[in-house]
């Protein structure tokens, strides 16, 4: 007489209690952060590239743009940090696309965890990397002569604003990562969008120096609002209006792209 053993497939639970979901999401975030130890080149991307941006913009363009590197550093460093924050969302899209194409999410799906935990965990881990890059660039800037005249409160509020905006922008990156066929297409499409948006803003130059038609675009450009808000918080200046617009842009991006990204994610996994 023979007997057969039937093994039920492992599937993620349909619903997970909130505290369990938080724990699973943090575990997935920690998984992404620990992976840096096994892939040091990723840390190079998050460390060397920001430093390179600060040095190149300050010492190559600074004298021409503002008459002195010190004056340009005080104006441009907040904008450089904003640009780097947007560029880093591309890494989120590329990492998610790579996990999808290599079947990582298929393996995670067999675990008894919430389906959204790997995705939210990845975004959470990348936000921690955003903070690391921001602190690194601020530290390099201080060594080069930058001064945070807005005080410690301005520094903290600026950091919170950047993280909130990065979290919202990450949803557009997630959508791109879900829809693109490979990581190279993710990178090509993302940089094609980010470059013109950042360089037609007030991140690096005063908007008043632009032609009138370009000023009209720059005035509604979300990177302009975020750069002005972050600059105002760090070194002083008007902050209420640019902060408000930055938050409105963040809410708008999250409201539009988060549902689309989650729908594309569920279709994939």
């Amino acid at each position: 007489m023979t007997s057969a053993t039937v093994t039920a497939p492992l599937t993620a639970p349909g619903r997970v209690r909130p505290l369990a979901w938080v724990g699973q999401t943090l575990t997935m975030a920690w998984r992404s952060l620990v992976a840096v130890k096994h892939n040091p080149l990723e840390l190079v991307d998050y460390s060397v590239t920001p430093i390179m941006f600060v040095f190149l913009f300050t010492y190559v363009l600074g004298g021409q743009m503002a008459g002195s590197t010190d004056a340009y550093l005080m104006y441009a460093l907040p904008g450089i940090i904003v640009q780097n924050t947007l560029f880093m969302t591309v890494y989120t899209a590329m990492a998610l696309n790579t996990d999808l194409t290599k079947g990582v999410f298929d393996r995670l799906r067999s675990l008894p965890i919430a389906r959204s935990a790997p995705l939210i965990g990845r975004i959470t881990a990348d936000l921690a990397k955003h903070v690391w890059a921001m602190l690194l660039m601020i530290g390099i800037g201080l060594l080069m002569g930058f001064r945070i005249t807005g005080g410690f409160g301005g520094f903290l509020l600026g950091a919170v604003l950047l993280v909130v905006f990065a979290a919202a922008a990450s949803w557009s990156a997630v959508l791109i990562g879900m829809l693109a066929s490979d990581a190279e297409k993710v990178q090509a499409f993302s940089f094609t969008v980010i470059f013109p948006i950042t360089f037609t803003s007030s991140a690096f130059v005063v908007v008043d120096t632009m032609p009138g038609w370009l000023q009209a675009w720059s005035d509604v450009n979300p990177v302009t609002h975020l750069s002005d808000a972050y600059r105002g918080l760090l070194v002083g200046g008007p902050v209420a209006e640019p902060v408000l617009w930055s938050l409105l842009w963040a809410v708008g991006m999250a409201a539009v792209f988060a549902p689309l990204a989650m729908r594309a994610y569920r279709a994939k996994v």
Side-chain angles (χ1 to χ4, degrees), residues 84-95:
N84 187 70
T85 298
L86 294 176
F87 277 152
M88 287 176 63
T89 62
V90 179
Y91 297 142
T92 301
M94 294 175 63

Side-chain angles (χ1 to χ4, degrees), residues 66-91:
S68 72
T69 55
D70 290 341
Y72 189 66
L73 180 66
M74 290 296 293
Y75 179 86
L77 182 61
I80 297 171
I81 295 174
V82 167
Q83 182 202 48
N84 187 70
T85 298
L86 294 176
F87 277 152
M88 287 176 63
T89 62
V90 179
Y91 297 142

Side-chain angles (χ1 to χ4, degrees), residues 66-233:
S68 72
T69 55
D70 290 341
Y72 189 66
L73 180 66
M74 290 296 293
Y75 179 86
L77 182 61
I80 297 171
I81 295 174
V82 167
Q83 182 202 48
N84 187 70
T85 298
L86 294 176
F87 277 152
M88 287 176 63
T89 62
V90 179
Y91 297 142
T92 301
M94 294 175 63
L96 288 172
N97 183 273
T98 300
D99 285 348
L100 280 172
T101 55
K102 290 187 175 181
V104 173
F105 280 106
D106 290 334
R107 294 194 292 272
L108 293 175
R109 185 172 54 184
S110 67
L111 299 175
I113 61 175
R115 291 176 65 186
S116 63
L119 175 61
I120 307 300
R122 162 61 69 173
I123 295 174
T124 303
D126 286 349
L127 289 178
K129 297 172 185 177
H130 281 283
V131 174
W132 159 257
M134 178 201 68
L135 293 176
L136 181 63
M137 296 174 80
I138 287 288
I140 295 297
L142 291 174
L143 292 176
M144 294 168 60
F146 184 79
R147 293 294 176 263
I148 304 176
T149 57
F152 187 66
F155 168 75
L156 287 181
L157 289 175
V160 171
L161 180 64
L162 273 187
V163 170
V164 169
F165 197 93
S170 293
W171 286 110
S172 63
V174 170
L175 181 62
I176 295 171
M178 293 294 116
L179 298 179
S181 58
D182 55 60
E184 287 75 17
K185 288 186 176 60
V186 171
Q187 185 177 32
F189 180 80
S190 300
F191 283 131
T192 300
V193 174
I194 292 175
F195 264 109
I197 290 179
T198 54
F199 282 99
T200 57
S201 71
S202 65
F204 309 115
V205 297
V206 178
V207 174
D208 294 343
T209 62
M210 298 180 181
W213 60 269
L214 192 54
Q215 288 185 38
W217 155 247
S218 182
D219 288 340
V220 298
N221 188 337
V223 180
T224 293
H225 298 308
L226 183 59
S227 298
D228 290 346
Y230 190 48
R231 185 180 296 113
L233 289 168

